[in-house]
């Protein structure tokens, strides 16, 4: 009886040992026959900037799980492709090394980081010839911008940028000559992947001061001319949060505009006028775009609805504005990319003066994808007010713009040069020069 | 000025890709024809370095003769434990499960990768085009990577703040070679 119990105990003990060791033994025998392998560890070399956890999450290789040799190979290839897509690394080398026992491996990732910091300059000259409500108008705007930023701020994965800006505008018409100088600074911070999710968030702030001088040569005036000087400053704050699902992006944001200006006139009858104009804006944007450079075609469209409420009266009553913007792009990453944009602005003031404008913008871009990066852009735009306008600005004439722009971008120091002619109405690049707007974040 | 601009545009738009050269021989036969690729623009030393890292190499050739299509090639592994190469032939786009014998050293691409007996006969002078792809990526994998990158706003002109948007991310595409066979 005792012997039978001992035998049963020994049998159960061996059975338990067998049960515990069985999967490994089975996997090892399969490894020899069917090439089942295990990856026990990922070793990362050369990654000083990005957290290893972020890198491993992108590589997404199952650790300690049995894989066919073929599946491991596909995992390694796809993982490398995703790491390349991150844009953080100049080179990525993947290698398998022997692990602790046969069929077991460790993966060695050797990466060389792309420089995450960048700096550069943008110079834009804009010549304009147009019809104003008091005859032909010629104007010229020079904009200079110097910027520095990082795509991986303090190794956190955050993107930040600081820019110094200066613009100078001259305009000349039969009745009005003016010049304006506007220096400013702007900073932005952006998290492209909140907690490694598909959500993103960003914010920007800008401060600008402005000094302008305007001379009116009006025959209606007793002495024929009058000169006014305006100086002031304004600040803009901006925040956005959104999410990407597949190839679509949806975002909502809030902007706040604060300004304070003072105008002095040479006409002794006029007194100094001081005014401030805070305004609040809300926007919602939806866009679809495939920009991953995996396909030849890069279709995209965007719809934006902006709401602005200007709460402080200055020249006019407080006003409210609504803007709907839609953009269609269809082209190729290696050829001409036609872009078509339409914008509708509707604004009305509390004294019921209303204006509705419609802007069309067509452009053809050719991207020469190489280092340095060269973009040529030919554009045509039309801006037309289709309502009566306001009494102050009776916009009943069309504005047209022609644009020829060259953007040259080298790696390291980035230099953008653009020459534009007849620029009135919708101009995304021009907007971007002054403030990191939502397009920066969502496109 | 306009003329110069047009010339510049034409030069920039001109196709820059060149067809890889290489020869191919095929024997006309009343039954089954044999086709062999020679001087493939593949530097075997580079492939060997890749293989010695434990990564596989796949070479897939698509044969097109009139409306007939056929694919063949091979997948090569280097086993770090056995320190030997394993070659799995691919015939008719299906990977043959049985490997060729373990080979300690390869002098060049194995014959299984470059030679095949076609399931049909070729006529003398018949045009035969062969496209060979090195480590081809499946459409499914491309779609998966595209979705992954798009959801994180990463990629060329991706959601990078400011001018960093110019950072080019051009995912490595499959290397391919095209040639026309001389059927003798």
């Amino acid at each position: 009886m005792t012997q039978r119990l001992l035998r049963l105990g020994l049998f159960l003990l061996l059975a338990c040992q067998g049960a515990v060791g069985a999967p490994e033994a089975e996997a090892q025998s399969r490894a020899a026959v069917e090439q089942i392998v295990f990856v026990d560890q990922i070793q990362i070399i050369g990654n000083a900037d990005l957290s290893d956890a972020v890198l491993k999450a992108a590589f997404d290789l199952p650790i300690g799980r049995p894989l066919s040799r073929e599946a491991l190979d596909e995992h390694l290839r796809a993982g490398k492709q995703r790491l390349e897509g991150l844009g953080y690394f100049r080179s990525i080398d993947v290698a398998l090394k022997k692990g602790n026992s046969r069929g077991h491996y460790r993966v060695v990732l050797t990466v060389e980081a792309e420089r995450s910091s960048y700096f550069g300059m943008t110079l834009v000259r804009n010549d304009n010839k147009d019809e104003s409500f008091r005859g032909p108008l010629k104007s010229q705007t020079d904009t200079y911008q110097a910027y520095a930023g990082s795509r991986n701020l303090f190794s956190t994965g955050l993107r930040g940028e600081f820019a110094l800006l200066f613009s100078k505008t001259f305009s000349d018409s039969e009745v009005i000559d003016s010049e304006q100088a506007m220096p400013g600074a702007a900073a932005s911070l952006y998290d492209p992947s909140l907690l490694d999710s598909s959500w993103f968030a960003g914010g920007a702030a800008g401060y600008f001061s402005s000094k302008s001088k305007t001379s009116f040569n009006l025959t209606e005036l007793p002495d024929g001319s009058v000169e006014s000087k305006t100086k002031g400053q304004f600040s803009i704050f901006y925040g956005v949060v959104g999410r990407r699902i597949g190839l679509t992006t949806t975002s909502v944001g809030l902007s706040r505009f604060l300004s304070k200006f003072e105008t002095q006139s040479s006409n002794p009858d006029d007194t100094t006028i001081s005014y401030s104009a805070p305004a609040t804006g809300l926007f919602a944007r939806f866009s679809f775009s495939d920009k991953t450079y995996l396909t030849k075609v890069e279709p995209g469209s965007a719809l934006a609805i902006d709401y602005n409420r200007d709460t402080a009266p200055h020249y006019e009553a407080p006003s409210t504005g609504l803007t709907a913007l839609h953009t269609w792009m269809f082209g190729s990453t290696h050829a001409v990319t036609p872009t078509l944009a339409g914008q509708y602005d509707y604004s009305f003031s509390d004294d019921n003066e209303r204006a509705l404008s419609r802007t069309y913008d067509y452009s053809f871009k050719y991207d020469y994808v190489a280092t340095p990066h060269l973009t040529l852009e030919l554009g045509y735009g039309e801006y037309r007010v289709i309502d009566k306008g306001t009494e102050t600005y009776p916009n009943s004439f069309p504005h047209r713009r022609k644009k020829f722009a060259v953007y040259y971008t080298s790696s390291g120091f980035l230099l953008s040069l653009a020459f534009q002619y007849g620029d009135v109405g919708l101009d995304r690049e021009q907007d971007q020069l002054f403030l990191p707007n939502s397009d920066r974040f969502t496109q | 000025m306009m003329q110069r601009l047009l010339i510049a545009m034409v030069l920039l738009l001109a196709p820059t890709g060149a067809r890889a050269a290489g020869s191919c021989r095929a024997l006309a036969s009343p039954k089954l024809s044999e086709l062999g690729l020679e001087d493939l623009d593949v530097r075997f030393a580079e492939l060997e370095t890749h293989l010695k890292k434990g990564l596989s190499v796949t070479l897939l050739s698509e044969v097109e003769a009139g409306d007939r299509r056929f694919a063949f090639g091979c997948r090569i592994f280097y086993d770090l434990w056995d320190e030997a190469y394993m070659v799995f032939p691919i015939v008719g786009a299906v990977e043959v499960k049985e490997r060729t014998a373990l080979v300690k050293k390869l002098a060049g691409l194995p014959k299984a990768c470059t030679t095949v007996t076609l399931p049909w006969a070729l006529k003398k002078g018949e045009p035969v085009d062969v496209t060979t792809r090195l480590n081809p990526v499946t459409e499914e994998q491309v779609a998966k990577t595209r979705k992954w990158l798009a959801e994180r706003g990463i990629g060329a002109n991706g959601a990078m703040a400011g001018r960093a948007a110019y950072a080019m991310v051009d995912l490595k595409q499959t290397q391919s070679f095209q040639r026309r066979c001389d059927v003798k």
Side-chain angles (χ1 to χ4, degrees):
Chain A
M1 180 67 185
T2 313
Q3 261 189 340
R4 281 177 66 188
L5 279 172
L6 277 171
R7 273 183 201 161
L8 183 64
L10 190 61
F11 174 76
L12 285 171
L13 187 66
L14 287 170
C16 286
Q17 278 180 338
V20 170
E24 202 181 337
E26 189 193 338
Q28 278 189 3
S29 69
R30 283 172 70 201
V33 180
E34 291 181 84
Q35 284 289 307
I36 296 294
V37 295
F38 296 83
V39 174
D40 300 327
Q41 190 196 353
I42 299 179
Q43 190 185 344
I44 298 163
I45 299 169
N47 177 38
D49 286 344
L50 202 64
S51 110
D52 280 2
V54 171
L55 205 146
K56 282 179 184 172
F59 200 62
D60 193 24
L61 182 71
I63 303 293
R65 277 171 39 199
L67 289 167
S68 72
R69 189 63 183 75
E70 193 180 349
L72 170 63
D73 224 63
E74 277 184 17
H75 271 291
L76 296 177
R77 211 171 285 176
K80 189 182 176 197
Q81 205 175 39
R82 282 193 295 269
L83 290 182
E84 281 166 352
L86 284 176
Y88 285 115
F89 305 110
R90 188 177 296 156
S91 74
I92 300 157
D93 185 72
V94 182
L96 282 182
K97 298 280 179 194
K98 281 190 213 172
N100 293 329
S101 56
R102 193 177 178 83
H104 287 249
Y105 295 92
R106 62 193 164 90
V107 172
V108 180
L109 285 175
T110 309
V111 294
E112 190 187 346
E114 194 76 68
R115 191 163 48 184
S116 61
S117 57
Y118 60 90
F119 60 97
M121 282 186 80
T122 302
L123 313 171
V124 176
R125 166 156 288 188
N126 184 342
D127 275 308
N128 184 40
K129 229 185 232 180
D130 219 322
E131 288 295 317
S132 76
F133 64 99
R134 298 300 291 263
L137 172 81
K138 277 200 292 186
S139 66
Q140 189 184 84
T141 304
D142 288 330
T143 308
Y144 312 94
Q145 187 182 185
Y147 53 85
S150 170
R151 293 195 298 271
N152 186 18
L153 210 58
F154 309 117
S155 302
T156 55
L158 292 172
R159 288 155 193 186
E161 186 179 294
F162 178 76
L164 291 171
L165 309 103
F166 181 76
S167 81
K168 199 157 193 177
T169 304
F170 303 93
S171 68
D172 177 28
S173 75
E174 206 173 300
V175 290
I176 301 173
D177 295 334
S178 72
E179 58 179 82
Q180 183 191 24
M182 197 169 72
S188 63
L189 192 66
Y190 175 65
D191 188 344
S193 187
L194 279 173
L195 303 170
D196 198 35
S197 70
S198 54
W199 288 84
F200 61 87
Y207 172 83
F208 299 85
S209 76
S210 169
K211 228 180 215 183
S212 63
K213 190 169 80 177
T214 309
S215 305
F216 297 90
N217 304 304
L218 298 167
T219 48
E220 299 93 309
L221 293 170
D223 61 353
S225 70
V226 65
E227 190 178 275
S228 76
K229 286 179 181 172
T230 300
K231 63 178 180 179
Q233 63 268 337
F234 61 92
S235 317
I236 304 176
F237 303 93
Y238 166 85
V240 64
V241 64
R243 191 181 181 192
R244 289 183 194 82
I245 300 170
L247 302 176
T248 63
T249 304
T250 310
S251 61
V252 289
L254 184 71
S255 65
R256 181 82 176 143
F257 178 85
L258 302 167
S259 67
K260 199 174 174 185
F261 287 94
E262 193 179 275
T263 299
Q264 277 183 317
S265 173
S266 64
N267 186 345
D269 296 338
D270 287 343
T271 52
T272 301
I273 307 166
S274 297
Y275 56 88
S276 61
T280 303
L282 283 168
F283 65 83
R285 289 186 176 199
F286 173 80
S287 67
F288 166 84
S289 184
D290 182 356
K291 289 174 174 291
T292 54
Y293 270 67
L294 282 165
T295 53
K296 283 275 180 190
V297 180
E298 187 186 301
S301 68
L303 175 68
I305 297 170
D306 290 357
Y307 165 84
N308 269 291
R309 175 75 179 157
D310 190 342
T311 50
H314 37 104
Y315 288 126
E316 298 158 17
S319 64
T320 301
L322 281 170
T323 301
L325 161 75
H326 29 123
T327 310
W328 299 271
M329 290 167 283
F330 206 85
S332 152
T333 54
H334 294 272
V336 175
T337 305
T339 307
L340 176 66
Q343 179 172 325
Y344 294 91
D345 292 299
Y346 181 73
S347 64
F348 51 92
S349 54
D350 286 359
D351 56 7
N352 286 327
E353 283 191 75
R354 289 185 293 174
L356 179 63
S357 68
R358 191 167 59 193
T359 304
Y360 297 114
D361 199 66
Y362 318 93
S363 67
F364 293 89
K365 282 187 185 176
Y366 176 70
D367 266 323
Y368 179 63
V369 184
T371 306
H373 182 202
L374 188 69
T375 303
L376 298 176
E377 183 178 354
L378 292 171
Y380 174 78
E382 195 171 304
Y383 169 80
R384 192 181 281 272
V385 174
I386 54 173
D387 204 335
K388 64 175 186 179
T390 64
E391 279 178 22
T392 321
Y393 303 108
N395 291 313
S396 56
F397 45 87
H399 300 267
R400 293 187 182 88
R401 81 174 181 104
K402 289 169 191 163
K403 180 177 182 182
F404 168 62
V406 182
Y407 305 98
Y408 166 86
T409 312
S410 65
S411 56
F413 181 77
L414 309 179
L415 178 67
S416 297
L417 292 168
F419 303 97
Q420 299 172 19
Y421 173 72
D423 186 2
V424 171
L426 184 74
D427 187 356
R428 295 282 116 191
E429 280 79 19
Q430 191 73 2
D431 291 345
Q432 287 180 7
L433 290 175
F434 289 98
L435 250 201
N437 65 19
S438 61
D439 288 350
R440 284 259 184 98
F441 297 119
T442 55
Q443 287 188 3
Chain B
M1 171 66 192
M2 204 60 191
Q3 207 173 9
R4 281 185 192 172
L5 176 66
L6 282 171
I7 292 167
M9 289 290 282
V10 167
L11 285 174
L12 286 171
L13 287 167
T16 51
R19 275 194 168 195
S23 66
C24 163
R25 59 172 173 78
L27 287 175
S29 157
K31 289 185 181 173
L32 305 175
S33 292
E34 191 173 276
L35 186 139
L37 305 170
E38 287 164 354
D39 307 327
L40 268 178
D41 289 347
V42 177
R43 286 194 191 120
F44 188 73
E46 281 177 20
L47 295 189
E48 207 169 19
T49 311
H50 188 80
L51 286 162
K52 288 274 174 80
K53 286 179 190 168
L55 307 171
S56 76
V57 165
T58 303
L59 207 70
L60 191 67
S61 296
E62 289 167 44
V63 184
E64 192 180 338
D67 56 354
R68 292 170 299 182
R69 305 271 190 283
F70 193 70
F72 75 98
C74 65
R75 186 186 289 245
I76 313 171
F77 291 100
Y78 180 74
D79 193 310
L80 295 171
W81 290 95
D82 287 332
E83 295 184 349
Y85 295 93
M86 292 174 288
V87 181
F88 291 83
I90 300 167
V91 180
V94 177
E95 193 168 329
V96 177
K97 289 292 171 195
E98 286 170 20
R99 65 179 185 218
T100 58
L102 282 173
V103 187
K104 283 281 175 190
K105 199 171 177 184
L106 283 177
L109 278 174
K111 206 181 166 195
C113 304
T114 56
T115 307
V116 71
T117 303
L118 294 171
W120 17 263
L122 292 170
K123 289 174 196 160
K124 200 173 177 185
E126 183 181 356
V128 178
D129 292 310
V130 182
T131 306
T132 304
R133 290 189 173 84
L134 183 64
N135 292 327
V137 181
T138 62
E139 286 296 320
E140 191 190 358
Q141 186 52 53
V142 168
K144 272 187 197 169
T145 309
R146 181 193 297 155
K147 188 171 181 290
W148 189 89
L149 290 172
E151 285 186 352
R152 280 154 185 82
I154 299 160
N157 297 323
M160 296 176 178
R163 265 62 43 162
Y166 285 112
M168 288 288 106
V169 180
D170 194 358
L171 296 175
K172 299 280 181 296
Q173 298 294 308
T174 304
Q175 200 181 345
S176 70
F177 320 95
Q178 287 177 311
R179 74 214 40 241
R180 177 154 283 194
C181 278
D182 180 21
V183 184
K184 289 178 181 168

